[in-house]
Amino acid sequence: MNNMLERLETIARRYEELNEILMDPSIANDIKKMTEASKEQSMLEQAFRLYEEYKRILTGIEEARELMNESDPEIKEMAHMEWEELSEQKPLIEAKIQLELIPKDPNDNKNVILEVRGAAGGDEGNIFAGDLYRMYVRYAESQGWKIEIMDAQESEAGGYSMISVMIKGEGVYSKLKFESGSHRVQRVPKTETQGRVHTSTATVVVMPEAEEVDVEINAGDLRIDTYRASGAGGQHINKTDSAVRITHIPTGVVAQSQDGRSQHDNKDKAMRALRAKIYEMKIREQEEALGSERKNKVGSGDRSEKIRTYNYPQNRVTDHRIGLTIQQLDRIMEGKLDDIVEGLIHEDQRLKLLGEA
């Protein structure tokens, strides 16, 4: 408890410092400094408000305890009622403070690049990749986020062998970061004549968008190739080499785009995707070096980790990491992902609290 109060006092001091910085008229001339200070204060605000409320409750409990020693029975009774009410509020606000003090993921407010690929199961895996992509599009729409296609390789049977999109909005990474991994589907494919249930998979990778300050890329380390964009079955044939593929030679990371309006647009999209991939690789290396970080999070985030099964015959979805089963697969595929997303966030918070303890 003393550790919690010390951390809150440090936050409160920093919050007040930032207040003074932002009230200084000279800061108006330094947009970068003003933006950074505003951003930091905004991140500390909830903890600061909770600390103010917590101090009010502690003071109230102490004052009520003193008044309970008064000789006037009416004052004693009112003080006791006040003491009881505030004593009930105290553990509730302590729980909120504990959650607020969990170390924040610095990427939580970032946009993401989401990549879905058909994996095992051939055509059916690609069709399922298309279904997952539509599920995420509907979820993004429900959150008021914007979607921009970076690259898409359509499958002749339907769906995608690969589709990569940028999702922009508030707190996108915080809600989608647990989607990385292998998604398994169990259903009767359209091509199945015997009515047998097949199992296929698609993989999902969610990467936070990286700024130039997050990842330093030397232009001399890049190989840029252009080629003609084309869709499945010869659709969207382009007569110019507008599609762009960028290879980062030191790491072997490749990113490409063919859905932009021009070669310049595709180069910009491919560069953003490349930066995100290298940034994700850097985060992964840091986590592995720390070791303990992985133990205090939901899943490993590896593309190969089996995270969820979508069973169509039984209208059931199971998230294997948190043991959550929902008998409403049809709703989930329509983008109603709130129950799953919230379940994963709560489990992540629980693990982090254990790690803090």
Side-chain angles (χ1 to χ4, degrees), residues 56 64 67 99 110 117 139 178 209 230 304 331 356:
R56 184 191 68 77
L67 287 170
L99 282 179
K110 293 195 173 189
R117 290 178 181 269
Y139 178 64
F178 304 116
E209 183 184 21
S230 64
S304 59
R331 286 184 73 254
E356 284 282 288

Side-chain angles (χ1 to χ4, degrees), residues 14-15 18-19 21-22 27 30-46 100 104-111 170-171 209 211 213-214 279:
R14 181 59 182 157
Y15 185 87
L18 290 162
N19 227 16
I21 290 168
L22 289 165
I27 200 172
D30 192 337
I31 299 297
K32 186 171 183 285
K33 188 178 177 183
M34 186 167 74
T35 304
E36 285 172 357
S38 297
K39 207 171 179 180
E40 187 183 349
Q41 193 187 49
S42 176
M43 284 176 71
L44 299 177
E45 186 163 5
Q46 180 64 6
E100 190 58 33
K104 299 282 186 293
D105 184 333
N107 296 311
D108 272 353
N109 283 323
K110 293 195 173 189
N111 300 326
E170 196 176 323
E209 183 184 21
E211 308 294 332
V213 292
D214 297 322
Y279 184 48

